[in-house]
Each structure stands twice: as structure tokens, then as C-alpha cells.
Amino acid sequence: MTLVQPRSGPRSGDIYLDADPDRISWGLLPNALSEPVLTVDSGTAVCLDTISHEGILEDQGRDPAAFFAAAGIAEILSDTAIVAASRSHDPATQGPHVLTGPIAVTGARPGDVLEVEVLELLRRTDYGVISNRHGRGALPGEYPLAPAGHTPGEPVPPVCTIATVDEAERGVIAIGDGRSLRFPLNPFLGIMGVAAATEDPVHSVPPGPHGGNLDIRMLGVGAKLYLPVQVSGAMFYAGDPHFAMGDGEVALTAFEAPLRATVRLRVHSDPQMRTLAKVLATPFAETREDHLLIGLDRDLDAAVAQATRNAIAYLGERHRIPAPVALAYLSATADFRISQVVDLVKGVHCCIRKSDLEGL
């Protein structure tokens, strides 16, 4: 495919936001002191470019052209190269993610709910990276494996697997013996959020009430994410684009690669939505088929418990279903899926079929 460079190629929506250095942040999420790079009215569809952090990080040399050239990839996105060359980044105190925004939405007040409807996700490249690094992931201490000649006690270098997209629109991972693994693509944004109500720096890795690094792979085209507004204007941002991810994201990252995303931002200030956001402990979401209720905690058991409480609260608030009946229903049919286990704060999302609630 031809690379979808900034300010070129197809663009949908009402307004376009590129990922130039003055329109992004690297490693920290917006907070109460952040200034918007764009202000839009409620209901506006924004087309924004996102940049993958893979290929620009310190342990990859901070030189994406050289990093990808070593894998036989000759062309890279110009905004990726510019960010890597021009922006400072401290991995000791900041997360890895590059965020586009923040975008202020006129009229959004704390206690309101910002609806983010994903309208379109366009691949900007046909390659990306899956990383396992520094003993992180679901198997810390076991992977990544130490290379031959590694000195005991020294840090194990990251293992970065290049994945590509074939003509059939499938992901491809070479096994190394002439064979390849192929799998469906499922583009989504791992990070969508609003500014947190704090003046302290907000690390990009752990998700929270502000949303952020939720890494829920069901939030692709057609999905809606509902974010409780923390500061005036909401201050929406997006990043951590994926071409595909399995629930859990067990290596540490999944098929990380840049997307051009079009999202509609709509503010809900009605009492029903404000009450629901207050009742629930986290953001919530929906797809065409399911309602998603989320649990977030450093302990996976606690995340499951929170997702369960949020699902019970949602069924009670929206459909007047008594809590014991709601719990029985969830146990009988709802799926509790592990969003990810690698972002310090683990995520679980409960999937409730919309068809089950018809007529209630």
C-alpha cells in the first residue's frame, strides 16, 4: 500500500488534525493544566492521525528509519520520523505512547459524559511491531529470552517482531523457516480518554476513570466509548493505534501500527447520563451488539469484581433489574473478557448482549 502521510490521502469527518509535534504529547496524558490544540462543537466528527510508539523508543535506537530499514522496510511516515527526532522523552518518568490532542469540546463540564463514536479507522502503513521487552508482559522473568552470549545480570534486550499485512488484508508474522502465521485484522485505538482532574503528570500506561490506555479491542469501527468528563472542555486525546490484538495482550504490545481515525465527539449533559456516569466507577462502552462494562485494578480479581459491580449497577440504573437477578443473569450468559494484563492496571470488560435487553 502507499503510506498515508500527514495531510495527504483520504480524510473523512468535519475537521482534520495531523500529528505534528505541536499537536501531540509523548508519554504523558493531558491533565487539568493542558491547553487544547483544537476546539470543536459537540457532534463534530474529527479525523486525526495517530502515531505508533514502536520504532521510535530509546531501546529501539530513537531512529525509526534505521529500525525499520533493518527489517527490510524502506519507507516510514514523515510524522513518525519528526517526532522521534524533535521531541524529548524520558522513559524513566514517562510512558511510551504518542497521543494526538487534546481536543476541547465546547460546553463539556465535569460530570458530563463525552461520547466517542468510532466512525472510521484507516491503516497508514502495511507494517507494524509486536514487542516483548524488559521482562514485562504476562510472563515476566521468562520472556524475552536472553540472546546467545548474554551476560548474566545485564538487561535482556527487547524482542521486536515485525508484522505485515498481506493482499488479503490479513496480519502476517513470519515464523523464520519459510512459513508464516496469518490472522484477521481488527483495527482499534488502544488509548482514548479525557484529561484527568489533576495538576500532576499523568503517566500514559495505566488506564483509569479518565479512560486512557484501556486497550479494549472491541472498540473498533461502530463502537462508542463513554468517558466521564473530569475537566472543562473534556480535552479528548487518542493514540496507541493497533491493527490487531488478542484479549490479554500477553507479550506486552500487540500489532502496533499507525491509524488515521475519524471519531465523533458528542457531549451528554442530561441527568440520566450524568447519574449513570456517577454510579459507574469507570468509563463504559457499547458496540453494535454489546454493552461493555469495565473493571480496572492492579489486581485482576479486583478488576473482575469491579466489572461485575458496574454491570449490576448498569442493569439496575438503565433497566431497573434487581441486583440479585442481575448477578444471576451475568453468571448465566455474560462474558467477562480480559482486556489486557500488561498496563500496570489490569482491565476486564463485561459483555452484555443488547438483544437480551430488548423490551425491558
Side-chain angles (χ1 to χ4, degrees):
M1 66 173 286
T2 302
L3 296 183
V4 180
Q5 296 285 7
R7 296 171 294 281
S8 68
R11 281 167 275 181
S12 59
D14 302 313
I15 190 168
Y16 167 69
L17 182 65
D18 58 32
D20 281 357
D22 60 347
R23 293 176 175 85
I24 63 99
S25 60
W26 188 0
L28 296 177
L29 303 181
N31 64 9
L33 300 177
S34 299
E35 294 293 330
V37 301
L38 177 69
T39 299
V40 301
D41 292 331
S42 178
T44 300
V46 181
C47 178
L48 54 90
D49 283 341
T50 63
I51 295 174
S52 176
H53 56 279
E54 291 293 348
I56 71 173
L57 295 174
E58 287 74 12
D59 60 12
Q60 296 167 332
R62 283 291 297 265
D63 185 347
F67 175 84
F68 286 111
I73 296 169
E75 293 185 273
I76 65 169
L77 295 171
S78 61
D79 48 8
T80 297
I82 291 169
V83 166
S86 66
R87 291 296 298 266
S88 61
H89 180 248
D90 178 10
T93 60
Q94 300 171 337
H97 307 100
V98 179
L99 294 314
T100 306
I103 301 168
V105 185
T106 303
R109 300 170 300 147
D112 290 344
V113 175
L114 181 68
E115 174 192 316
V116 184
E117 181 181 6
V118 183
L119 301 176
E120 184 177 56
L121 295 169
L122 176 69
R123 290 188 292 106
R124 301 183 64 199
T125 67
D126 59 4
Y127 60 83
V129 182
I130 305 160
S131 289
N132 177 225
R133 50 167 53 90
H134 309 307
R136 297 175 183 171
L139 298 174
E142 296 180 53
Y143 291 89
L145 299 176
H150 177 259
T151 301
E154 291 294 316
V156 177
V159 173
C160 298
T161 300
I162 301 296
T164 58
V165 178
D166 67 14
E167 294 180 354
E169 296 286 308
R170 294 173 297 178
V172 181
I173 298 174
I175 295 173
D177 57 5
R179 298 178 296 155
S180 295
L181 291 162
R182 298 177 187 270
F183 52 93
L185 299 182
N186 177 43
F188 75 100
L189 295 169
I191 291 181
M192 293 187 283
V194 293
T198 178
E199 296 183 2
D200 296 331
V202 183
H203 198 280
S204 74
V205 170
H210 55 277
N213 194 22
L214 293 169
D215 270 335
I216 298 175
R217 69 184 185 97
M218 295 176 73
L219 298 182
V221 171
K224 295 178 181 180
L225 175 64
Y226 297 94
L227 298 161
V229 174
Q230 316 282 300
V231 304
S232 294
M235 305 291 279
F236 173 77
Y237 51 87
D240 191 27
H242 293 68
F243 285 2
M245 190 187 92
D247 286 336
E249 201 179 25
V250 292
L252 176 62
T253 77
F255 193 169
E256 315 277 328
L259 295 168
R260 175 168 290 172
T262 303
V263 297
R264 188 179 304 280
L265 304 177
R266 182 177 288 111
V267 177
H268 294 275
S269 57
D270 57 283
Q272 184 181 31
M273 285 294 279
R274 288 175 66 91
T275 299
L276 182 61
K278 188 175 181 179
V279 166
L280 300 179
T282 66
F284 53 104
E286 63 177 295
T287 68
R288 292 185 178 96
E289 294 82 23
D290 296 295
H291 296 291
L292 307 182
L293 288 308
I294 299 166
L296 300 169
D297 199 278
R298 289 178 176 268
D299 181 279
L300 187 58
D301 287 343
V304 172
Q306 187 184 65
T308 305
R309 293 189 189 100
N310 280 346
I312 291 171
Y314 178 86
L315 292 170
E317 185 66 31
R318 275 291 171 89
H319 298 285
R320 304 186 307 279
I321 298 174
V325 176
L327 180 62
Y329 162 77
L330 295 173
S331 192
T333 189
D335 290 325
F336 286 76
R337 299 178 179 175
I338 298 173
S339 314
Q340 49 73 27
V341 295
V342 296
D343 293 335
L344 302 179
V345 171
K346 298 174 175 64
V348 173
H349 51 282
C350 169
C351 304
I352 299 174
R353 283 183 299 273
K354 290 181 176 180
S355 60
D356 294 353
L357 305 177
E358 291 177 357
L360 294 181

